[in-house]
Amino acid sequence: MTSHIDAAQIWLLSPELSVVLLSFVVLGLDLLTRRKTLVWAVAFIGLIVPLVLTLSLTFNWFGERPTTAFFGMLTTDSYALFFKYLFLVIGFCVVLVSYQYVEKYLLATPGEYYSIILMSLAGMMLMGGTGELITIYISLELTSIPLYILAGLSRRDGRSAEAAIKYVLLGAMSSAILLYGMALLYGATGSTDLAEVAKSITTLGSGNLMLLAADVFIFAGLGFKISAVPFHMWAPDIYEGAPTPSTLFFSVGSKAAGFAAIMRIFVFGGLFAVSSSYLWVLLAIVAALTMTIGNVGALMQSNIKRMMAYSSIGQAGYLVMGLAALAINNSAAGTTAVLVFLVVFVVTNIGAFTGIIALADATGQENIRDFDGLGRRSPWIAAGMAFCLLALAGIPPMAGFLSKLFIFFTAWGEGSGLTFLVILGLINSTISIVYYANVVWRMYVIEPKKRERITVSNSVSLTMAVSVIGVFVLTIVIGVLMTQAASGAGSLFQALGH
Amino acid sequence: MVTLNSFVVLGAVIFCIGLFGALSRRNAVGILMSIEIMLNAVNITLVAFASAFIHNPNVGNRLTGQIFAVFIITVAAAEAAVALAMIIAIYRRRNTIDVGEINLMRW
Amino acid sequence: MLDLPTVAFYVIAAVLVGSALAVVLLRNIVRAALFLALFFGAAAGVYILLNAEFIAIVQILIYAGAVTVLVLFAIMLTRNAMSANANPYSGQWWLAGIICLALTLGIIYATGSSQMALLNPFASANMASAGDAGGSVVRIGQLLYSPFDYSYVLPFEIASIVLLVAIVGAIIIGRED
Amino acid sequence: MLTAIVFLPLLAGVITLLAPERSARWIAAIFTGAVFLLSLWLYFGLLGGSFGDVAHPQWYEHLDWINVQVGNIHFRADYALGVDGLSILMLILNSFLSFLAVIGSWNIQPRQKFYMALILFLETGVAGVFASFDLFLFIFFWEVELIPMFLLIGIWGGARREYAAWKFLLYTLIGSVFTLGGIFLIYFETGGQTASFQHLASAGPKLAGTIPFFGAALSLPVVIFILICVAFAVKMPTWPVHTWLPDAHTEAPTAVSVLLAGILLKMGAYGLIRIGFGFLPQGLEAIAPWVGILGALSVLWGAGASMVQRDMKRMIAYSSVSHMGYISLGVAAAAVATSAGNLDFRQAALTGASLQMLTHGVITGMLFFCVGVLYDRAHTREIDVFGGIGKVMPVLMLLYSFACFTSLGLPGGGGFVSEYLTFTGAYATLPVQTILAVFGVVLTAGYLLWMLRRSFYGALNPKWSWLTDATLRERSILVALVVVILFIGIYPAPFVDLLSPSLHHMLTTAQSVVAR
Amino acid sequence: MVDYVWLIPALPLAALIIVLLVTRPLELAGRPRPQRTAGDAHGLHSVPDAHTAPGDEAVSHEPQAHAEEHDAHGGAHDEHGGATPFWARVGSIIAVLAMVAAFVISVIIFAQFFTGNVPGIDAHGGKTLQIYDWVSFGPLKYAIQFRVDTLTAIMLMVVTGVSMLVHLYSTGYMAGDPGYSRFFIELSLFTVSMLILVLGANFLVLFIGWELVGLSSYLLIGFWFDQAPPANLSDPDTPPYPPPAALKAFVTTRFGDFGFLIGILILFFSTGTFDFVQLQAATPHMNVALLTLAMILVFAGAVGKSAQFPLHVWLPDAMAGPTPVSALIHAATMVAAGVYLVARLFPIYAGVAGPQALQVVGYIGGFTALFAATIALTQNDIKKVLAYSTISQLGYMFVGLAVAETNATGMFHLVTHAAFKALLFLGSGCVILAVHHIQDMRKMGGLARFMPITALTMLIATLSISGIPPFAGFWSKDPIIATAFEYGTAHGGNYWLYGMTAFTAFLTAFYMFRLYFMTFGGRGGGVAGLWGGRYRGEGHPQEAPWTMWLPLVILAVPTVLLGFWGINSGFAHYLTGETIPYVNPFTEALTYTGIAVAVVGIALAWLMYGIEVLPKTLFTGNPIGALVYRVLFHKYYLDELYGAIIKYVVLGLAKGCELFDIYIIDGLVNGSARFVRGLARVSSRSETGLLQNYGAAMFGGVIVILVIVFFAVGALK
């Protein structure tokens, strides 16, 4: 650990730093120009800078990179880099897809909108890249506060404001419980530096109640972000009420950030190492509930965003199953599975939401009914959306199948205790196909009431293309992805000397 | 004698009082105030822990709990600002801040 | 043994709990807000008791000052938002009560019964008389933004962005369409 | 080579989608035709050499696809394509029927382009199932066909298509749930290093031991077998999980029914033979009598239910249940090892069952095409509303009768060969079940001929006097099928030679398990 | 020549292919195509092409007129007098020529065996010819092999001979029928199949032939598939209606095949071979009880195919086919396949299997003989009488096989029966044609005057079947009755078989002469009612053309002469290769009893139908007689019984299956779907939209989890 901050440490921070600077630039640009396209283009192209900087970190362009900076509060292990890329992809796609929606439906100017998104993005990136509780908390808030704002940005109806207030109040409650957990953890170990926590935690018994209470509270606080049952209840309302690009953003971003933080805290902080025998049961129960309630709840929805909310709860269930697999042996396999699943989930979810945005851009409708005959009204968007929905459902040949298979496989392989969870997961994915396929059914089978074609802006089409191609490529190179994820997961465990 | 545990218990009690308010007050501002109470409870706990750790040779001089409390205060203020803005926004739209009536979206 | 700090603690604790209950239970929201200010003040007292003067100052400045004012403004702005004769408590207050009670007991049970590894030597010490703990403003200043010694400069910088975001957000949300 | 066969249709499907509406069918026809020729080369290219078995696949292609080792978890799924005799046969059947399906739906409306693309996607999925040589790749392809089929039934289906499509989808998926569980089990139990067919074929039969289940200790191989084969049983379908089939068949458009009966059901049978029998012979053996009973029950049940159907397609669908029962019977019989001496009988049974996959594919395909010809004109398939239409549709009557007769196992048609082989072989190990199944032959004759009698025989119902006979295109399809059916029926040796090495390999592996 | 035996089936096959692929398309191409005019779906069409054969190009027809014409013909086929197209005629000539050639080869082979000049013959007196292998698994061979021995040679003679004559006959009988070509295709198909059947060296080939003749039979019975149903189908006097008859024939025989196939399976499993010769060597190692069961099951196939009780019901209905078909398939050859099968396996039946096997054969045969004869007494349809007579005679053959030491007794009756029954059917065909498709004998009478050749040949055949010496029937039937008597003596005085066969002989004589008198004779005819009499029908019957009467004349020759082959066990010697001790029948009293019985039968028929001195209500006048008559007339109500079983039991069970599927299985399926949907509704109701509920859920969840974990700690500690 270097004793003082130097250029190399700034280099480690540079991706996040550049995102923040970009958000300032965008915000400032908004004052100077009224041309939305310019703002949008700057936001979009500007994201290349953090990408390049992340690449420079990955490939050590400027010499061997230090492992940590800022007194251990910033780490750039493979795990962190993995999430940086993931969030940058999310950033690119969200910025890309928002172009038309912003001017049509949002209260905010494009500059404000993009800068808020970018700040949140910086928060997310930091969440994956820090190994210290205070920083995690602050990053979480940097992530969340923009999201609260984003939820309330829709100009059109009261639902958006309602979503925002629900989101902010529940978010604050969850922050409180998270903080309480962190406080307890601090109280138990005397440090908020996870590496030190991991060291000192071993002297506590596995059954230390204070530690377990801290575990539960921290999980509850972050469980809110990943919408795990029973902390999921906000998701349907807020997904429905928020403007669709924002919904997309927190359905993928917030969730990924939540998982980044959970795994960081629980693995890096050594919590799983100490209390795995209790925690995996807890996680298994939560996983079972989450996927069941998510998937069953989605069946009867009529609003597509609400359905997607339940869907993402269901997907979170699979992820939590991965966490359980991670917890049971505290092994990197579960982490790998979660990382892989997250990537695929992010890409496919972006595709699915892009379809929703495309329809909303054109018609302003967002009921499942409104997708009737989309296959004829807009063949390419419908095809891409169907492709992504089916990938979410885990139907081959889409990558979703493989990532889900991998997570189930890992859970199955990690312990016989998770066998029934896997079977429940398989049953759930069958149930989930019903509502995903229902959308596909409506898009292709039902005849539309209006037959005129839907015009889709290029940016939306491009996003769709990116995510479809992404899914397709992921299918083929999923092996590579898994290897990368495995190295990311490995780096998370390395610090512990595993 | 006031031990660490006294402070922790105090924190727990206050946290839960705040929680009760957050879960039962119908006025959105009231909920927000309750949440502030919860955060304060956390702060009390943290500062208490920090004091307990103060003689710890490894970490004591970092005063982590106090620093944490500073950050929490900062963020809570920011959050409160945003939340109040939203309460006002919804008041403008719906003319109510009764969370029992803010249920346009359900099922 | 009943020394001054102990007495002070119990007094402050009683005020804290009482004012918190008042905030939570009072029907009149304005009064509740005023009790909130009291609560914040009492909390500062706790901090002083713990020799965390800086925190106490910040608490007074930000909470008792800024936040309370903010809240009061919000209450003023949203006047008549609640129908006067409506029950200020939601229908699930009893459930909330059970939850809170259980949670309190749970936390007390968890913290009380467990051995706090690093705390062991100090856990039973009389906290109220710990003496100067180095929680000076200077030390805290160092810890917040020293680039050379161990410091929380990264979260500090992030916190500044959080504030910026909050400002921007509040403006966007709060402005008229 | 195999990659081309599997993915060419996919490519063609994409091209079809991009091409203008009018040219879609031509593209589809050209590509399916090309794939058909390619798949023939699978056979002719090996003529004179070995057709391979599961340990020595031919046309083998192998790439690392997924190979991750994290901790104690090793997830390995190779992109391994390979064939042995069994797969070659199925691949040819697949490409052949897909080609015919494209030709057979030449004038399908509406949304012709989309239809053709879906057919092509379907072909890819099915070909992948038959060609994959890694269990994970297998299950990957296994579900590829679902959505194209779902949409094909949904968009171009009959009145109750919604119910049928959903039923098809969910039934199949629920089957897969168990199968995936079984696959995980077998993967980890056989070492957890690879799921390649070669590995499983050698390691699977060695599995032994028990697995606890709510206090009971169940035999591990049996449990794995049952789990894995649930999806296959659904797909085949076997009683009592067959009820999706009549609905799906009835509602699907003609060519899709052909594909459904012709190849999709064979995926189940193929899985049963390749995975159930090939990898877990000891598991199958332990419950073979029950599997045999299920087979016989399917035969009789399907035949019985066929008798009382009013809708031709529904009747044929139930007849598929019945005919696929022979496959279960044959495979079950092949797994029973009462003594070393009856290996030859068991090979006969297994060959019969495998051949039944082919013959049922072409024969039922032909039946569906015939019904399709009728339906295209009359827009009804209700048996009783027709009457004496042989008078106006003599060619169709001839071909339809041919299909019916070969379906009921008349010599000269392929059905006879497979049924005869199955019976003669299966009797050696499962006599009672075989006798029950043989009775199905009588029932089959009953319902098929009764159907002919009610629709084609008798005085022409004046209502239908305007019906026109099969067109040249329709005739060509049917005649092509006739030729194939006759060829199998008269000279089955090439097909059996193709199958023999792979089946023999499975049987000797199974035999060695019992010997141990 | 034996090596070229494959030519025999190949020739008709070639003819089939040529007709199917060459001449018939030419014929169709030459046919004028009617123009489809707008709105002619129910329009009127000009006559010449109103009735197009199946296989025709898509043509629109005028259906009502068609149906009416059918009715006018009483349900029989129509269009006589219409010209047969040139190419159709060419096709038929090709078919006939092929049959002639096949017959010639058969004769040569037959002669070779006669002279004993067969190269490469094996120890079992035959030669197995490998055609090709289906498949083989180790020692299990599924081979397509032909076997030629004396039994085959005889059958080849019978099949090709009768088939040739029927082909020839059909060129006349079917002239002008729109399905002329199709008829010859199907006829050739039958011949091929039958030849495969008799040539088969193993069960596989035999079974192939066995099933294929079933197909041909089905097709030919249903040849006039487009007939309108007659008004009163259930009336026994109504001529059978082709569509259901064909169905019935096929399914009923399949029922027998079920047993047959199981028998094959047992034998194959036990011996590992299908080959008849190898089976002879292998069966002695089998469990006798199992073997006996297997042989009885194999016989079940014969019961179906040879229309023995209780599976005989299809044969009378099979008369719905054109008469040449009845002659060839349902009298001479196919129905004899069952007999051939038992004869083929005779060494096993008699030598290896338990005695129960042949007892079953004998009793079923004997009972059927009697049973069918009683029904034949009451039938008025000329073809139905002959059909029941066929059933009865087949029963004789089985008795002959069951009671005798060799299979020669039964086989000899098969051969002679083939001749005279074919003759009888072809003759009846001439009659039916002459009286314009009336089959009811009550509308005939005195036809001998109009068609002397037919009458004379029919008379010879009738005498033959009645067992009057010196006609062939006597020489083959008498040994059966005699052997049955010996059998009874040998089995402790169990004369049941003898009694049945002897009584049947009486009945046969009666009903056959009843048929003759009602058709050709009658009161007022010459030679005491034997030659001519009052014609009760309409129109002016005429003698058939030469193509039709020539086969009658040719068949009359063996009908008269063939019997003499039986003298000195000539036939038996030829067939078995052994020298069988021969007893001159005329030295036995039993023979005279048999003849006397036959004569009494003839006399009774003569009194009742020839000179009609006895009233026809002689036996039916009293209540018991009337009841018996009713029962017999309705064929013991077996059709009704079977119909009821099918309708209520089989279809009931089938419906049960379907309902189970719909209500139980699908009920479960749909029910679980509904359950999940209900669950979904409930779970989405939990989203109340109230944020405090959500918060309560969150913190409540925290507590629940906390409690679980704490309890887990307590439990695990």
Side-chain angles (χ1 to χ4, degrees), chain C residues 8 13 33 38 42 44 62 64 73 84 87 95-97 111 119 127 140-141 146 153 164:
Chain C
L38 176 61
I62 296 184
F73 262 115
N87 189 342
L95 179 65
T111 50
L119 257 54
M127 299 286 292
I140 287 184
S146 162
V153 62
L164 177 69

Side-chain angles (χ1 to χ4, degrees), chain A residues 3-5 24 71 73 107 112 116 119 126 132 138 142 145-146 149 153 180 184 187 189 203-204 208-210, chain C residues 107 109 111 113-119 147-153 155 158 162 164-165 169 172 175 177:
Chain A
S3 58
H4 62 90
I5 297 168
F24 293 167
F71 314 104
M73 287 169 209
L107 279 168
E112 291 160 353
I116 289 172
M119 286 183 193
L126 282 163
E132 201 268 347
I138 295 288
L142 179 56
I145 291 176
I149 297 162
L153 279 184
Y180 207 98
L184 289 180
T189 61
T203 56
L204 295 169
N208 185 303
L209 292 185
M210 187 162 154
Chain C
I107 297 170
Y109 176 67
T111 50
S113 68
S114 66
Q115 67 283 53
M116 304 179 196
L118 302 178
L119 257 54
F148 306 110
D149 291 325
Y150 189 89
S151 73
Y152 296 92
V153 62
I158 302 171
V162 171
L164 177 69
V165 157
I172 297 171
R175 75 178 167 216
D177 295 339

